[in-house]
Amino acid sequence: MTQRVELATVRDRLAVDEVVTEYAVAVDDGDWETYRGLFTSDGRADYRSAGGIEGDAGKVAAWLAESLRAFPVRQHLIVNRRVRWGVREQDTGDTARVQADYVNPMGAAAGGDGPAVPDFVCGGRYSFGMLRTDEGWRLNEVIVCEKWRRLPARPAAPVVH
């Protein structure tokens, strides 16, 4: 592999990583215009494993906006990113598949003087399918595989004697 090819691979890796980060920030900030803009025109997302829907980016963005209204405080932590490059139209490096683990604490707005406390925490793995486009790397598929969730602790029921 030549130094030029290695540099191009590093640049693509950084660009793909930036899309994943922009995705997390868009969801956390409720920036649904940016969320939709991260996808190709035919891009789709599948949140069914987390109790959600599957559909095009616009439909899923609308569902997320409504579903996440109860949790205005969100913070995706996306780690362990593994990138695999693919081939499209006989050219190398036009596709990428990123698998990444996530932990996602969410909570109601902070009350009083203190910070918000997570009411709900879930974790799992994302599978991001990406395409190189004229506008740069874009998502053409997002699949969420939720592996666990922790709901808020409920107060113990009073003991009746």
Side-chain angles (χ1 to χ4, degrees), residues 77-110:
L77 306 171
I78 301 179
V79 299
N80 300 333
R81 300 173 194 209
R82 183 180 334 161
V83 178
R84 299 292 183 255
W85 305 106
V87 176
R88 180 177 179 215
E89 298 178 11
Q90 307 304 314
D91 193 5
T92 59
D94 286 335
T95 66
R97 173 67 56 185
V98 180
Q99 287 187 333
D101 296 329
Y102 70 89
V103 175
N104 184 16
M106 299 184 286

Side-chain angles (χ1 to χ4, degrees), residues 12-83:
D12 281 335
R13 171 67 193 237
L14 291 171
V16 163
D17 192 64
E18 180 66 18
V19 172
V20 171
T21 299
E22 288 297 322
Y23 169 89
V25 171
V27 172
D28 291 345
D29 292 351
D31 184 350
W32 307 117
E33 183 176 338
T34 295
Y35 177 92
R36 287 186 298 274
L38 293 169
F39 285 82
T40 60
S41 61
D42 62 345
R44 302 185 68 75
D46 185 348
Y47 288 79
R48 291 178 292 183
S49 77
I53 66 168
E54 186 275 335
D56 65 65
K59 176 181 175 181
V60 172
W63 173 79
L64 284 169
E66 183 63 31
S67 299
L68 296 177
R69 190 169 295 180
F71 301 104
V73 178
R74 303 182 288 272
Q75 184 177 32
H76 274 77
L77 306 171
I78 301 179
V79 299
N80 300 333
R81 300 173 194 209
R82 183 180 334 161
V83 178

Side-chain angles (χ1 to χ4, degrees), residues 3 5 7 22-23 27 32-34 37 42 61 71-72 76 81 95-96 125 127-128 132-133 148 151 153 159-160:
Q3 198 171 23
V5 171
L7 179 58
E22 288 297 322
Y23 169 89
V27 172
W32 307 117
E33 183 176 338
T34 295
D42 62 345
F71 301 104
H76 274 77
R81 300 173 194 209
T95 66
R125 179 166 290 157
S127 178
F128 296 101
R132 183 194 312 271
T133 71
W148 61 270
L151 300 172
V159 176
V160 179

